[in-house]
Amino acid sequence: MELLSSTKSFGGWLKRYCHESLSVKGEMTFAIFLPPQAETQSVPVLYWLSGLTCTDENFMQKAGAFRKAAELGLAIVCPDTSPRGTDYPNEHESYDFGSGAGFYVNATVAPYSNTYHMYDYVVQELPTVVEENFPVTDKRSISGHSMGGHGALICALKNPGVYQSVSAFAPIVNPTDCPWGEKAFTGYLGEDRATWKAWDATCLIESLGENAKERLPLLIDQGEADNFLVEQLKPEALEAACEKAGHAITLRRQAGYDHSYFFIASFIDEHLEHHSKALS
Amino acid sequence: MELLSSTKSFGGWLKRYCHESLSVKGEMTFAIFLPPQAETQSVPVLYWLSGLTCTDENFMQKAGAFRKAAELGLAIVCPDTSPRGTDYPNEHESYDFGSGAGFYVNATVAPYSNTYHMYDYVVQELPTVVEENFPVTDKRSISGHSMGGHGALICALKNPGVYQSVSAFAPIVNPTDCPWGEKAFTGYLGEDRATWKAWDATCLIESLGENAKERLPLLIDQGEADNFLVEQLKPEALEAACEKAGHAITLRRQAGYDHSYFFIASFIDEHLEHHSKALS
């Protein structure tokens, strides 16, 4: 691991690293905020997955999360949103596919199948790297925004017991049924839509049956003035699936808020408290 | 005035506008955060002046100030850091002179003397625009970072009674005696260094004599790991001038903190409380 920068904030430290990833067969960058408590004890970790076009930096710079994380003694880890070292056809052409838009799946379509294994990176490799190198416990929670909200939901749903809690801001809850998801899943997973369901939070809940009742409750904030609400995000699809399956969900529709980090900042403290409670 | 964007955050609204400025003879952009209290009453205003290369956006996106401002009922106004509509020789060549580096002076050297009147804009025109168009009182405080900390200090020192309080993060306290200041003042004010003293916080305090004791106390936070501390910022110069003149100053040297917004975010709540107390 190479340390890229180290910055003090709220008595803790924001550190950025790059390292060689086996999952994506190339260099990955991530950021970790270590609260002041980490100087004397191991602290639990919240993984944050960012949205389309983001890197490890957006959340750390704009969410205003460190004050509360420092108070709660919570580390925050932000991975990048895709591998970066390749140059496949069309990889860098659009904001919603390829670099910056890895969608937290394991791609099965060439050439992306060679390196776009963001799911394995986020669920397995990165936590191992973090737990081996920093003063953290093995207690993990996960959250994210938009594409990263989708990522947080599927990571938690596909790995019962691995995360203590999950939440999301304006997540893409049903990627098999929206333009962003259909474009990404076609490119990464191919034309067979049956294979997509394993990467869709709404479909995953539909498939749980009786097990749904035992799973982690979902905490979701969704701005009602979000430009992507109707066409891309569709929280009502997840809400209906949860209701049918008996899966616990708290979906808060926040009047007047849009899709930006100004929305995330407004409610991040409550999410951090939600995760801290589950982690302690 | 043209509304560029309107974004809800912490129950208040961040709005960006552009307008034709008489002071700088061209279009200027500014941002205002209106706390929730502004929907039913007039609120006081904190003016924030940003540093080199910044626009109206940096503070609003990265300082994490809205939570506390919404709690205190404080509006925050961020101007841009220079005029933008011109194309003078060398105006856009360097990060520390010309566009993005107006230094909050009234330039006297051609061609900058034609439009670079950031002092008049910040002290007179912008507050008039703000007080005519938004639900705010005429109570003003001022703060800023680096070049903007210099700006906040000189605006307060040159206008007794206009601001209720002043503070700064890592300000350029003695621009007549550091490379950034010498470059900017030569370009905007000319070779006669005697004219520079009217735009230098340390020199202004030295010139106050007995009046120093009656002026606003200065609140300054300075990171001790700031890369610009020794060569550019030199808070000890201001501290010595204050001590000699009997001018009240609280200079807090913060161990481990650098020059970034992660430093500002760590202490902005305390500055907002300082200003709110003076404004109420």
Side-chain angles (χ1 to χ4, degrees):
Chain A
M1 286 208 309
E2 182 192 347
L3 179 66
L4 302 177
S5 65
S6 183
T7 309
K8 193 171 181 180
S9 197
F10 288 93
W13 290 90
L14 170 64
K15 292 168 184 280
R16 299 183 67 222
Y17 292 88
C18 66
H19 70 124
E20 277 299 311
S21 162
L22 295 173
S23 312
V24 312
K25 297 180 190 163
E27 195 170 79
M28 287 293 285
T29 299
F30 72 89
I32 182 168
F33 175 71
L34 289 164
Q37 293 85 341
E39 294 194 5
T40 54
Q41 66 193 77
S42 292
V43 297
V45 182
L46 173 67
Y47 289 84
W48 174 271
L49 306 183
S50 284
L52 294 167
T53 77
C54 289
T55 68
D56 63 290
E57 296 194 290
N58 304 66
F59 179 85
M60 297 302 199
Q61 292 182 358
K62 295 182 174 178
F66 297 168
R67 188 189 62 86
K68 181 59 76 176
E71 179 189 314
L72 297 170
L74 194 59
I76 303 175
V77 171
C78 293
D80 201 351
T81 57
S82 78
R84 297 285 176 178
T86 43
D87 192 15
Y88 303 139
N90 301 319
E91 187 182 6
H92 313 302
E93 306 297 307
S94 52
Y95 80 100
D96 55 0
F97 184 75
S99 52
F103 263 84
Y104 307 104
V105 300
N106 289 334
T108 55
V109 173
Y112 292 95
S113 53
N114 191 40
T115 55
Y116 272 59
H117 302 146
M118 286 299 293
Y119 176 76
D120 284 349
Y121 178 73
V122 164
V123 172
Q124 294 174 2
E125 185 173 11
L126 182 59
T128 302
V129 168
V130 167
E131 288 165 21
E132 281 176 357
N133 288 280
F134 300 98
V136 300
T137 69
D138 60 359
K139 292 271 189 276
R140 310 168 188 167
S141 289
I142 193 161
S143 185
H145 174 228
S146 195
M147 175 183 76
H150 142 75
L153 293 173
I154 64 166
C155 287
L157 285 164
K158 289 165 78 74
N159 297 280
V162 170
Y163 300 98
Q164 307 299 311
S165 52
V166 57
S167 76
F169 289 82
I172 304 170
V173 301
N174 197 187
T176 62
D177 188 31
C178 75
W180 278 342
E182 289 171 311
K183 177 176 178 178
F185 283 11
T186 302
Y188 296 137
L189 304 172
E191 299 288 348
D192 179 4
R193 286 177 173 244
T195 67
W196 298 4
K197 293 187 177 182
W199 307 99
D200 178 303
T202 300
C203 298
L204 286 166
I205 284 178
E206 286 168 350
S207 73
L208 280 175
E210 275 303 304
N211 294 321
K213 295 184 181 62
E214 295 156 24
R215 293 303 181 84
L216 293 176
L218 309 181
L219 170 62
I220 294 176
D221 273 312
Q222 173 62 59
E224 289 192 325
D226 187 322
N227 284 336
F228 304 110
L229 177 56
V230 175
E231 192 184 4
Q232 305 281 6
L233 305 175
K234 304 182 184 181
E236 63 279 4
L238 183 68
E239 198 173 34
C242 283
E243 194 169 321
K244 193 171 172 192
H247 194 295
I249 181 170
T250 302
L251 170 60
R252 311 193 304 186
R253 296 172 186 270
Q254 305 286 5
Y257 287 89
D258 68 11
H259 200 65
S260 71
Y261 269 90
F262 294 112
F263 158 58
I264 296 170
S266 303
F267 300 101
I268 191 67
D269 281 7
E270 293 170 46
H271 285 240
L272 295 176
E273 281 169 353
H274 167 77
H275 293 296
S276 179
K277 197 173 162 188
L279 287 161
S280 62
Chain B
M1 286 208 309
E2 182 192 347
L3 179 65
L4 301 177
S5 66
S6 184
T7 309
K8 193 170 181 182
S9 197
F10 288 93
W13 290 89
L14 171 65
K15 292 168 184 277
R16 299 183 69 221
Y17 292 88
C18 67
H19 70 123
E20 277 298 311
S21 161
L22 295 173
S23 312
V24 311
K25 298 180 189 161
E27 196 170 78
M28 287 294 285
T29 299
F30 72 89
I32 182 168
F33 174 72
L34 289 163
Q37 293 86 341
E39 294 195 5
T40 53
Q41 66 192 76
S42 293
V43 296
V45 182
L46 173 67
Y47 289 84
W48 174 272
L49 307 183
S50 284
L52 294 167
T53 76
C54 290
T55 69
D56 63 289
E57 296 194 289
N58 303 67
F59 179 86
M60 296 303 200
Q61 292 182 358
K62 295 182 174 179
F66 298 168
R67 189 189 62 87
K68 180 59 77 175
E71 179 190 313
L72 297 170
L74 194 59
I76 303 175
V77 170
C78 293
D80 202 350
T81 58
S82 78
R84 297 286 175 177
T86 44
D87 192 16
Y88 302 139
N90 301 318
E91 187 183 7
H92 314 302
E93 306 297 309
S94 52
Y95 79 100
D96 55 0
F97 184 75
S99 52
F103 262 84
Y104 306 104
V105 300
N106 290 333
T108 55
V109 172
Y112 292 94
S113 53
N114 191 41
T115 55
Y116 271 61
H117 302 146
M118 285 300 292
Y119 176 76
D120 284 350
Y121 178 73
V122 164
V123 172
Q124 293 174 1
E125 185 173 10
L126 182 59
T128 302
V129 167
V130 167
E131 289 165 20
E132 281 176 357
N133 289 280
F134 300 98
V136 299
T137 69
D138 60 359
K139 292 272 189 276
R140 308 168 189 168
S141 289
I142 193 161
S143 186
H145 174 228
S146 197
M147 175 184 76
H150 142 75
L153 294 174
I154 64 166
C155 287
L157 286 164
K158 290 165 77 75
N159 297 281
V162 169
Y163 300 98
Q164 306 299 309
S165 52
V166 58
S167 76
F169 290 81
I172 304 170
V173 301
N174 196 188
T176 62
D177 189 31
C178 75
W180 279 340
E182 289 171 311
K183 177 176 178 178
F185 283 11
T186 302
Y188 297 137
L189 305 172
E191 298 288 347
D192 179 3
R193 288 176 172 245
T195 66
W196 296 5
K197 294 186 176 182
W199 306 100
D200 179 302
T202 300
C203 298
L204 285 167
I205 284 178
E206 286 169 350
S207 73
L208 280 176
E210 275 303 303
N211 294 322
K213 295 184 182 62
E214 295 156 23
R215 293 303 181 83
L216 292 176
L218 309 181
L219 170 62
I220 295 175
D221 273 313
Q222 172 62 59
E224 289 191 325
D226 188 321
N227 284 336
F228 304 110
L229 177 57
V230 176
E231 192 183 3
Q232 305 281 8
L233 305 175
K234 304 182 184 180
E236 62 279 3
L238 183 67
E239 198 172 34
C242 283
E243 193 169 322
K244 194 171 171 190
H247 194 295
I249 182 171
T250 302
L251 171 60
R252 311 193 304 185
R253 296 173 186 270
Q254 305 286 6
Y257 288 89
D258 68 11
H259 200 65
S260 70
Y261 269 91
F262 294 112
F263 158 59
I264 296 170
S266 304
F267 300 101
I268 192 66
D269 281 6
E270 293 171 46
H271 284 239
L272 294 175
E273 281 168 353
H274 167 76
H275 293 296
S276 179
K277 197 173 162 189
L279 286 162
S280 62

